[in-house]
Amino acid sequence: MQQTESALGIHTPAASNNVLRVEGGRPLYGTISVRGAKNFVPKAMVAALLGHTPSQLRNVPLIRDVDVVKEMLEAHGVDVIFDEDEGVINLDPSNIDAASATEIDALSGSSRIPILFCGPLLHRLGEAFIPELGGCVIGDRPIDFHLETLRRFGADVVKEADGIRLRAPEGGLVGTRIDLPYPSVGATEQTLLTAVQAQGITTLTGAAIEPEIMDLINVLQKMGAIISVDTDRTIRIEGVDRLDGYSHTALPDRIEAASWGAAALATRGDVFVRGAHQPDMSTFLNTFRKVGGAFDVEEDGIRFYHPGGPLRSIVLETNVHPGFMTDWQQPLVVALTQAEGLSIVHETVYENRFGFVSALRQMGANIQVYTECVGSAPCRFGARNFSHSAVISGPTPLHGADITVPDLRGGFSHLIAALAADGVSHVSGIDVISRGYEHFMAKLLKLHARVEYV
Ligand code: EPU
């Protein structure tokens, strides 16, 4: 098989197609590193559009969402230099210009980030265009909060056959009051990226306060913005006339770190995740311990391991920060198939995030999915016929199977299941995982997994 040299300095088999053969039933062990967060880095790259001088972002991972935003920025005239091995990206927006609708459409297919270009482009160019958005199929994923937010700043938003065209009013966008009906991460970022240069004050209530949003606020403050965050999910932004570039190191990817932790637990392994950052992961770590996993927090990362003995079932509800992240749910469910008794997982962020369990059932897991809010307080999906609660009965031995990756996090959970299962699995559609997991194949090999592209 053809070999390539990866940025990790180890050899990775080149992908000849999109199917991974996994010989499972072996613990993962060893050390891997995580870099900057997928759900922060592309947004900080978009923020560079607002600067009148160049920006530098460090700890940038090599993932497809970063490539998409890099190409989108280049299409808008931004000069982007990405040192992939060092993970350093330099962004110079001096020659910012409008891109054609066809170009934007061709580039943005697999990502949801393009919608965040709207505010900065309305400030810099007076107009913006967003095509049909991509991203994982884990629910309807509407953009109504985003469009309403932009309208409130005074933008003219017109839906056309090929996408949505936006225009800033004569005299520019104006600060406003926005009350989000749900603490949406994207709509909070939309508000921040637009309000920082709108005239006057913007007050946002019901804001999301995820660590990735706090780091975006750090970036905007470095650029010259004035933003204060209150204890009750209210964010107040005083618009300023001019923002400059920033120099920043991205916070680490807490979803990737937790995914490898869940993989260590499900395979009865021992994985040190260099770069994992305890303060952003404390809710995950509490749950990991309750299930029976063990971890040691070190200066430069976290060691996740199975300490031996049985795993314990739990009742879990996903929620916005500081709750248990929806993105941690799918990888952890695989470990729950090995816990003794009945575990209950109530998904309250996305209405359709249990599609991945059918493959786990095929591999021997006992998981039932319900439309009711099982195990905890009713959520906004109750009585709306969405299969958003799961009951997992364990432990059930898993056996290899031929399965297909449904979405990014569901795909990683399939990979974990294949690694934990006895026998051989073929995991199709594996490329989806490179949207959010840097060098995942090299990392698997480093953790002694028996995997190869076929
Ligand atoms: N929502 C609306 N209308 C909107 C926007 C959101 O109804 O206009 C709803 C969504 O349908 C969902 C809920 O609000 O039910 C929360 O969505 P949110 O806007 O918070 O999600 P997002 O910004 O689209 C980001 C991450 C997701 C992560 C969520 C929640 C990025 C690129 N994506 O999505 O990450 O699950 O926040 O933390 O930052 C992933 O990494 O695999 C992933 C899906």
Side-chain angles (χ1 to χ4, degrees), residues 38-39 43 141-145 184-186 327 349-350 409:
K38 158 190 166 281
N39 290 347
K43 293 126 185 213
R141 308 201 75 181
I143 54 170
D144 51 337
F145 301 165
S184 152
V185 168
D327 306 284
V349 180
Y350 287 112
R409 308 299 168 191

Side-chain angles (χ1 to χ4, degrees), residues 253-375:
D253 197 310
R254 65 196 171 116
I255 306 176
E256 186 186 355
S259 301
W260 290 113
L265 191 60
T267 63
R268 304 183 73 83
D270 188 336
V271 174
F272 183 71
V273 183
R274 184 169 289 127
H277 187 225
Q278 181 190 19
D280 304 333
M281 298 186 68
S282 58
T283 308
F284 179 80
L285 295 174
N286 285 336
T287 303
F288 194 78
R289 180 168 278 158
K290 280 200 238 172
V291 173
F295 60 87
D296 299 331
V297 177
E298 309 286 351
E299 274 303 297
D300 58 341
I302 302 177
R303 172 188 171 209
F304 296 93
Y305 56 103
H306 191 306
L311 297 184
R312 293 181 288 272
S313 52
I314 51 162
V315 176
L316 183 66
E317 178 173 273
T318 65
N319 214 330
V320 294
H321 188 77
F324 189 92
M325 288 188 91
T326 170
D327 306 284
W328 289 331
Q329 177 260 103
Q330 291 148 306
L332 193 72
V333 161
V334 184
L336 292 181
T337 67
Q338 303 310 304
E340 287 193 341
L342 287 184
S343 292
I344 293 172
V345 181
H346 181 207
E347 168 61 58
T348 77
V349 180
Y350 287 112
E351 67 273 28
N352 185 19
R353 218 166 190 182
F354 282 119
F356 73 103
V357 304
S358 54
L360 301 192
R361 277 201 212 106
Q362 198 188 327
M363 299 173 85
N366 186 345
I367 305 178
Q368 304 299 323
V369 179
Y370 298 91
T371 53
E372 289 83 2
C373 299
V374 180

Side-chain angles (χ1 to χ4, degrees), residues 51-52 73-79 92-98 124-125:
H52 284 262
L73 287 168
E74 284 169 339
H76 285 93
V78 179
D79 186 28
D92 183 351
S94 314
N95 297 315
I96 186 168
D97 201 359
R124 297 298 303 264
L125 303 173

